[in-house]
Amino acid sequence: MFTFIRRTIWFFLLCISLAVAAGCVFFLKMESELPDINELKNVEFETPMHIYSSDGKLMFVFGQIKREPIAIQDVPKMLINAFVSIEDQRFYEHSGFDMVGIIRAAVEYAKTHQKKQGASTITQQVAKNFFLTRERTFERKIKELIISLKIERELTKDQIMELYLNKIALGHNSYGVVAASKVYFGKELGELTLAEMATLAGLPKAPSSYNPISHPEKSKERRNLVLSKMLQYGYISREEYNQAVDEPLISSYHGPEIEFRSDYIAEMARQRVIDRFGEAVTTKGIKVYTTVNSEVQKLADDAVFKGIMEYDRRHGYRGAAKTLWNPKEEPWDEEKIQEHLKSLPKISSLIPAVATRVTDREIEISMKNNMRGVVTWEGIKWAARFLTDRRVTGLPRSAKEVAKAGQLIYVYTDDKGVLQLGQIPAVQSALVSLDPQNGAIRAMVGGFSFAQSKFNRAEQAKRQPGSNIKPFIYSAAIEHGYTPSSIIMDVPIGSWESGKSHKWHPKNSPNVYDGPITMREALAKSKNVVAVRLLRGTGLKNVVAHLEKLGFSVPKMYQNDPLALGTLEMTPLELARGYAAISNGGFLIHPYIVQRIEDDSGNLLYEANPVIACTTCEDHVMDPQAYSDGHGHRIARQVISHANAFLISDMMHTGIYGGADRGLGGFNGTGWRTAKAMPNRKDFSGKTGTTNNSKDCWFTGLNGDVVTSVWIGFDNHARSLGREAGATAAQPIWNYFMVPYMKNFPENPVYKPDTVITHKVSRATGLFVGDGAAGRNEFFEIGTNPADHSAFTGGASNSYFNYGSGKSSGSESSGNTVPTASDLF
């Protein structure tokens, strides 16, 4: 008997030893698989990226997670007490886990046979949130306990609490107490009341169920439970408790305090940051400062909106956006109207509205936030019905012809404060404004509304520029010996195309021909046939090489005669960059949008160091390396001479201010509307552009301070703008932007270098005449001014073109291809 008992005891001891050994092996194996707790000492919280304007205004926050890390010493002690009271009242006493809570979970499991998570300590929640998944298994619970013990060994209680308060999910994509305080109450932590602190402390158990926005009653009950716990554990007095319980629960969603919104700019900046630093940097809480001033960008946004609205009004009203109820149905009540309006996105400055009553001369409307208004006849009378891009009906005689009660319409407020009937446009526009001296983007509009379309037409839309390309064709001609006074024949051209039964016959628009004409006047009037003759006289290969120097890519398919009329596709940003070289003395700058990047503590991580133009430097055309000006600035590559840039800009100047300004008579250039819009200054140069069938309209204008290009057209390349041109559709937008933008800028024409001199020339021949003879003054690059008095001499500078063949005495290179674009203005 004694032997049996002894053997039994030894058997149990062996079993216990094996169990302990197995447990130790299991523990050691599991511990070896667990992460290094020291990682928590240098943890980086995922925080959103903020985009700012150059004047420091927040314009966008990228990242769904809202989080602002805070040091434990900056957290109000009462807020910490609130969390300890409801989440882990023995936090400062235990060593990582609460045995009472574990026993309670075990008893619950014995009763229900379900693996339910017990009352985890704050330390266990830190372990779970940083290192573990959400699965509820025995193995995961053991890992949680082991990690908690290790955390308690390696970190102080304050460090653990800091990690917890910055990591926890508190609903509405807010993580951490700072973000939750701002989301629910719009306050900093130090501004919270005791009741508001208790509300936040009640969220971790079930943020979706207890948040005060979605479930205010449940949130209030949970808040009061937290307060009762705080009273029970002696953190607050009875008086404080009563006052907090009686406090009304007032909460609403508070998003980031966006001071200024420009989504196209923000998205472009975000993409530039990702391209340079990778996707991961967008969750590091960095602050990205752009080159765009908020006030200047608003001018650009307003200009595009106004220009598009004016275009839309000229082309007719396409009807209500939607019919919500018809006359035979019961009208919606105001609550239902408001619910529908609330679901509609903001599209630029258009305001969605529901017509509730229509009379002969008024449309009564309901707008968001229970706002009411009346669109008077002044805002309705324009609404002739749209038929096609080129046709509308007659003007309406009554508001009842335009809208009906129950229709969803759009309205906006004009410059005079009058409520106008509007519509979501199908037409789009883009605007780019650059600092030509360094490439900084000062303003950019990628479309009518980012909410309507995220496609950034300013940098992504390849469109034909039409006559906006002509200054570059003329620049190539200047480089190969032509001068502003060179006489070109403005007469029709006819060229047989090989393999075709018809010939290409480019025409001027309007279809008027002036015979012998100077290059200056031809560019100002945008003569199409003259541009083609210049391309031929300069040589196609030379023109293509010149365009490529200016940053344009010219595929083989575009290397033909129609290139002179703007068939080459390019983005508004690419076009503006090319024009910047005309503005800055011939230097090819690189447009950029990000000025500097800081970390969340304000430390500088990146600052732009662009290559710059050097207006007063000597010519270094096509120097293979950017060089320094001796003051630490990197100089951009010069692609055309200072003289070439000035001469082209000055010919474009005639396009705005007319022939009288340069002694050519009283004709207007195609850009005369800018001279009218800016009557007190004469420092701008500009060029219109319109493609075949008015599918694209452009205007680009510049002086020594700024280059701005505007495009307008449809995303659908098959659609026409109708009877429009660059001067009527694009140039007004340019004017609406540039007139107020330049209000406080002194005149700054393109710099005239010492290599440009003035000669008196004959108005008829463009050749030099003596001081006593009749003539006008013209600019020339030294070495290219006429050397004799002969009319229509040979040579590049005064090539004579035969009327019939369209051939020049200079070299020609013609692809003889039927063009896909021609130009109106």
Side-chain angles (χ1 to χ4, degrees):
M1 184 68 180
F2 178 75
T3 303
F4 173 77
I5 293 173
R6 187 175 60 181
R7 288 178 178 177
T8 302
I9 292 173
W10 278 109
F11 174 75
F12 278 111
L13 289 175
L14 178 62
C15 289
I16 292 171
S17 299
L18 291 173
V20 170
C24 291
V25 171
F26 175 77
F27 181 88
L28 292 172
K29 179 179 182 297
M30 187 172 289
E31 187 178 35
S32 67
E33 295 174 351
L34 295 178
D36 183 3
I37 300 303
N38 286 316
E39 293 178 11
L40 294 178
K41 295 180 179 179
N42 299 298
V43 67
E44 290 187 5
F45 291 102
E46 184 175 322
T47 52
M49 177 172 68
H50 293 68
I51 309 291
Y52 294 88
S53 61
S54 63
D55 49 329
K57 292 186 178 180
L58 180 63
M59 68 168 70
F60 210 91
V61 178
F62 284 102
Q64 292 185 342
I65 289 179
K66 304 177 184 73
R67 180 186 279 119
E68 294 183 39
I70 187 171
I72 190 66
Q73 61 267 25
D74 297 326
V75 180
K77 183 63 176 176
M78 192 63 76
L79 180 61
I80 296 174
N81 293 339
F83 275 96
V84 169
S85 296
I86 194 66
E87 289 294 316
D88 186 4
Q89 59 267 33
R90 298 183 63 248
F91 171 69
Y92 291 104
E93 301 168 17
H94 62 64
S95 298
F97 62 91
D98 185 355
M99 186 58 68
V100 174
I102 293 174
I103 294 172
R104 185 170 58 248
V107 171
E108 183 68 21
Y109 176 76
K111 289 179 180 180
T112 64
H113 298 287
Q114 294 179 355
K115 296 182 178 69
K116 292 186 176 180
Q117 181 176 344
S120 296
T121 66
I122 284 175
T123 309
Q124 286 176 271
Q125 292 183 57
V126 170
K128 177 181 62 178
N129 289 335
F130 280 94
F131 297 119
L132 300 173
T133 65
R134 289 185 173 274
E135 62 180 345
R136 294 177 178 178
T137 64
F138 178 76
E139 181 180 343
R140 199 225 64 168
K141 194 67 178 178
I142 294 298
K143 288 182 177 179
E144 182 182 299
L145 293 175
I146 297 172
I147 294 174
S148 297
L149 290 171
K150 294 179 71 175
I151 289 175
E152 290 280 351
R153 285 202 307 265
E154 298 292 335
L155 303 179
T156 67
K157 289 291 186 180
D158 279 351
Q159 288 175 318
I160 296 169
M161 181 60 72
E162 180 176 308
L163 290 170
Y164 173 73
L165 294 176
N166 282 312
K167 183 70 173 179
I168 49 174
L170 296 173
H172 281 281
N173 289 324
S174 62
Y175 290 77
V177 291
V178 177
S181 176
K182 291 183 177 180
V183 165
Y184 294 117
F185 303 112
K187 295 180 178 181
E188 299 291 343
L189 290 184
E191 300 171 332
L192 293 175
T193 65
L194 173 60
E196 290 166 342
M197 292 181 186
T199 301
L200 296 185
L203 290 172
K205 182 178 180 180
S208 60
S209 299
Y210 291 130
N211 83 73
I213 297 174
S214 304
H215 302 284
E217 290 303 319
K218 286 186 176 181
S219 179
K220 190 171 184 179
E221 290 177 10
R222 182 71 174 168
R223 177 198 74 177
N224 292 345
L225 175 61
V226 174
L227 291 168
S228 69
K229 293 287 187 181
M230 295 181 74
L231 177 63
Q232 177 183 342
Y233 297 124
Y235 290 120
I236 59 175
S237 66
R238 172 63 66 175
E239 182 181 355
E240 289 173 318
Y241 169 79
N242 291 336
Q243 183 178 354
V245 166
D246 291 339
E247 182 177 309
L249 179 58
I250 301 173
S251 177
S252 61
Y253 181 78
H254 297 77
E257 294 183 10
I258 303 297
E259 302 169 88
F260 156 72
R261 187 139 191 174
S262 182
D263 293 352
Y264 286 111
I265 294 290
E267 174 57 26
M268 185 179 185
R270 184 190 74 90
Q271 194 57 56
R272 293 294 188 273
V273 170
I274 290 173
D275 290 345
R276 186 177 185 92
F277 299 104
E279 186 81 39
V281 76
T282 62
T283 61
K284 303 297 185 184
I286 62 172
K287 299 175 182 179
V288 180
Y289 291 86
T290 67
T291 58
V292 174
N293 177 278
S294 61
E295 293 182 6
V296 176
Q297 181 61 38
K298 188 177 187 308
L299 293 177
D301 292 333
D302 291 347
V304 169
F305 178 82
K306 185 175 181 180
I308 286 182
M309 287 295 100
E310 289 182 351
Y311 170 88
D312 239 21
R313 289 164 71 97
R314 292 195 296 271
H315 290 265
Y317 187 58
R318 296 182 296 280
K322 188 177 183 180
T323 297
L324 303 179
W325 72 84
N326 60 50
K328 296 181 180 180
E329 296 176 330
E330 183 72 20
W332 288 9
D333 59 27
E334 188 62 26
E335 183 178 352
K336 190 172 182 180
I337 290 173
Q338 288 300 316
E339 183 180 354
H340 182 75
L341 291 173
K342 188 177 180 180
S343 68
L344 300 175
K346 176 178 173 60
I347 298 179
S348 190
S349 296
L350 289 174
I351 304 167
V354 175
T356 55
R357 182 170 176 266
V358 182
T359 67
D360 283 340
R361 285 292 183 269
E362 292 180 343
I363 304 174
E364 296 179 11
I365 59 173
S366 285
M367 296 169 283
K368 289 183 179 180
N369 301 320
N370 294 303
M371 298 290 291
R372 299 294 184 92
V374 176
V375 186
T376 64
W377 185 243
E378 181 66 24
I380 303 169
K381 63 184 180 181
W382 66 268
R385 187 160 56 90
F386 170 87
L387 296 176
T388 70
D389 291 330
R390 293 179 175 270
R391 293 181 58 227
V392 297
T393 63
L395 293 173
R397 293 167 293 179
S398 166
K400 293 180 178 179
E401 297 177 18
V402 177
K404 293 179 173 58
Q407 289 184 333
L408 174 66
I409 61 176
Y410 284 85
V411 298
Y412 65 96
T413 304
D414 67 13
D415 295 340
K416 299 177 182 178
V418 176
L419 206 57
Q420 296 282 342
L421 176 67
Q423 58 191 339
I424 297 176
V427 73
Q428 290 289 346
S429 182
L431 180 151
V432 176
S433 188
L434 297 180
D435 183 334
Q437 304 305 320
N438 62 13
I441 296 174
R442 296 308 182 196
M444 186 188 71
V445 182
F448 181 73
S449 169
F450 193 79
Q452 181 191 27
S453 169
K454 295 176 175 56
F455 181 57
N456 187 346
R457 294 153 193 85
E459 70 160 346
Q460 295 173 315
K462 293 277 191 178
R463 308 294 296 219
Q464 293 180 335
S467 282
N468 237 213
I469 204 173
K470 287 178 182 174
F472 306 117
I473 306 299
Y474 278 61
S475 176
I478 291 288
E479 187 170 278
H480 287 81
Y482 288 84
T483 73
S485 70
S486 293
I487 300 293
I488 314 297
M489 297 308 297
D490 179 30
V491 293
I493 294 175
S495 300
W496 288 102
E497 184 184 7
S498 177
K500 301 289 185 180
S501 58
H502 59 276
K503 60 183 178 181
W504 178 47
H505 190 64
K507 296 179 180 179
N508 288 339
S509 183
N511 196 19
V512 174
Y513 301 87
D514 294 334
I517 190 172
T518 63
M519 280 178 59
R520 178 182 290 278
E521 184 173 350
L523 183 60
K525 292 182 176 180
S526 198
K527 294 288 189 176
N528 287 340
V529 297
V530 172
V532 175
R533 293 186 190 279
L534 282 174
L535 180 144
R536 293 176 172 180
T538 303
L540 178 61
K541 290 183 178 179
N542 292 330
V543 170
V544 168
H546 196 77
L547 289 171
E548 290 177 339
K549 284 195 306 182
L550 287 157
F552 303 112
S553 175
V554 190
K556 189 69 175 178
M557 63 182 291
Y558 294 109
Q559 296 182 20
N560 44 47
D561 282 359
L563 178 64
L565 305 183
T567 57
L568 176 64
E569 293 181 332
M570 59 187 66
T571 68
L573 184 58
E574 290 169 339
L575 184 69
R577 182 196 187 198
Y579 271 103
I582 295 174
S583 168
N584 65 26
F587 295 88
L588 190 63
I589 48 83
H590 302 290
Y592 67 100
I593 191 73
V594 176
Q595 184 62 49
R596 73 180 191 278
I597 301 174
E598 298 176 357
D599 65 16
D600 56 2
S601 299
N603 299 312
L604 186 66
L605 300 177
Y606 164 83
E607 186 161 22
N609 181 27
V611 293
I612 64 171
C614 185
T615 305
T616 58
C617 292
E618 295 182 2
D619 280 330
H620 289 266
V621 178
M622 295 310 292
D623 188 322
Q625 301 292 330
Y627 58 94
S628 172
D629 64 352
H631 300 286
H633 300 122
R634 296 182 305 133
I635 306 302
R637 178 180 293 190
Q638 189 177 14
V639 293
I640 57 176
S641 68
H642 287 86
N644 188 310
F646 171 78
L647 293 174
I648 296 302
S649 70
D650 196 67
M651 285 191 279
M652 291 168 59
H653 183 276
T654 303
I656 289 179
Y657 301 102
D661 197 54
R662 292 293 185 264
L664 285 170
F667 69 83
N668 282 330
T670 59
W672 61 267
R673 289 169 177 81
T674 290
K676 184 177 180 180
M678 298 181 174
N680 297 320
R681 60 190 307 154
K682 298 189 71 174
D683 59 328
F684 275 97
S685 303
K687 186 69 193 77
T688 52
T690 313
T691 61
N692 196 36
N693 295 322
S694 298
K695 292 180 179 179
D696 300 275
C697 287
W698 300 76
F699 185 77
T700 301
L702 58 90
N703 68 359
D705 290 320
V706 65
V707 172
T708 300
S709 286
V710 173
W711 165 85
I712 185 170
F714 290 96
D715 288 339
N716 179 356
H717 289 240
R719 287 193 66 175
S720 165
L721 289 166
R723 295 182 176 87
E724 298 281 354
T728 61
Q731 192 175 4
I733 296 174
W734 191 95
N735 289 341
Y736 293 148
F737 170 60
M738 290 295 293
V739 170
Y741 180 24
M742 290 288 103
K743 187 176 181 180
N744 297 318
F745 281 72
E747 289 196 26
N748 184 23
V750 172
Y751 175 74
K752 176 179 170 291
D754 293 338
T755 51
V756 171
I757 58 176
T758 303
H759 272 298
K760 181 177 283 188
V761 297
S762 165
R763 288 189 174 88
T765 67
L767 297 178
F768 175 78
V769 295
D771 292 336
R776 65 178 184 86
N777 289 327
E778 183 57 272
F779 292 116
F780 297 91
E781 184 174 5
I782 292 175
T784 63
N785 49 297
D788 58 54
H789 300 247
S790 302
F792 303 117
T793 59
S797 64
N798 282 284
S799 299
Y800 174 73
F801 295 84
N802 297 318
Y803 282 80
S805 67
K807 301 287 185 180
S808 76
S809 60
S811 62
E812 291 188 273
S813 177
S814 174
N816 294 326
T817 302
V818 177
T820 58
S822 62
D823 195 71
L824 295 176
F825 290 91

